[in-house]
Amino acid sequence: MKAVSLSSRNPKVYLYMIRTRIAPTPSGYLHLGNAFSFLLTALIARKEGGTILLRIDDIDAERTKQEYLTDIFESLEWLGIEWQEGPTGPDDFMQNWTQHKRLDLYQALLSQLREKQLLFACSCSRKKLESFKSTAYPGICENLNLPMEAADTAWRLKVPSDESITFQDRILGTVTFPLGQETGSFVVRKRDALPSYQLVSLADDTHFRINCVVRGEDLIPSTAMQLYMADQLNLTGFKRSEFYHHKLQRDESGQKLSKSAGAVSLQYMRTRGFGAEEVYTLFAEQFLNYSETRVTTFGQLETIFRST
Ligand SMILES: [Zn+2]
């Protein structure tokens, strides 16, 4: 991370310039869990004097819908979250910021991995993979030398079975993830020939010089995969990033909230007349252990966050 001297008279005072991102996917209405993650990101950026990029992950175009894209901007405005870089609205996004404009960037990373002979073609169907109990790829195609350019073929990055990734997390401390056992060789280019989320996210974070990644604990495997890939590609910026993996907002039955499970959406809350104060107050209770008063503004939430 780049340290910038605040004052030439006092070289001991440094300001670490945090560059973080809010990275929603326009494949469903945003829910409370998304709101909590974005609020935490915004609060960290404000506290550290950093900047926020709005990065909308639309590489999976089939799942992208205009109404979900619009919902992202309406939700962030409703939550009082501001960003300094990225699209100003859905039209600006489609014209200037869609991930489909950066396909060359992703392709370049895939080519590098391929030149280093770190990839292999995998023709396993989803059904076939689901028949294995282990979450890790069982290595079926690894030594078959299948043609890379065949139709319906994914590309996987080779991961040794004893590979383990350790990183420092600002919330969890030292995290060790047994990558070889948990994911094994993972997909970097999908069967539809588009780059995978893991590759796209790493490429974008590198491209936009992100040095602070705030995400849910469910994405620890992603962080481990991306750190491993960054190592292979010598992307030192990502490796030196600060990571915050926060706990997940759960429903009454203890399940994590998800769009597919029909979690209560922010859009539903807005149309029923709830204000963002509902979200601030719940966030303060669940993430900051604060329940003295209702939290009615983002500024009030910021004050509470700074004192924790
Ligand atoms: Zn395979």
Side-chain angles (χ1 to χ4, degrees), residues 5-13:
S5 178
L6 267 184
S7 155
S8 55
R9 280 184 226 153
N10 184 358
K12 281 182 186 161
V13 179

Side-chain angles (χ1 to χ4, degrees), residues 122-124 137 141:
C122 168
S123 62
C124 298
Y137 177 68
C141 305

Side-chain angles (χ1 to χ4, degrees), residues 270-290:
R270 284 197 299 277
T271 55
R272 293 298 179 282
F274 290 105
E277 64 211 60
E278 298 292 337
V279 182
Y280 299 151
T281 302
L282 278 172
F283 178 88
E285 278 171 19
Q286 296 190 19
F287 273 55
L288 309 177
N289 288 322
Y290 176 92

Side-chain angles (χ1 to χ4, degrees), residues 89 236 284:
T236 49

Side-chain angles (χ1 to χ4, degrees), residues 120-125 128-129 137 139-142 144 146 156:
F120 65 91
C122 168
S123 62
C124 298
S125 66
K128 183 172 179 181
L129 292 173
Y137 177 68
I140 305 161
C141 305
E142 199 145 348
L144 296 182
L146 298 171
R156 288 180 183 271

Side-chain angles (χ1 to χ4, degrees), residues 1-7 11-18 211 240:
M1 195 173 302
K2 204 164 120 194
V4 178
S5 178
L6 267 184
S7 155
K12 281 182 186 161
V13 179
Y14 290 102
L15 174 66
Y16 287 95
M17 301 297 288
I18 289 281
N211 59 21
R240 279 194 239 123

Side-chain angles (χ1 to χ4, degrees), residues 29-30 67-68 70-79 264-276:
Y29 289 114
L30 297 177
E67 65 210 89
Y68 301 145
T70 304
D71 175 62
I72 288 171
F73 291 94
E74 288 179 356
S75 296
L76 289 174
E77 193 186 341
W78 184 67
L79 288 167
V264 172
S265 69
L266 303 180
Q267 188 250 12
Y268 180 89
M269 291 177 75
R270 284 197 299 277
T271 55
R272 293 298 179 282
F274 290 105

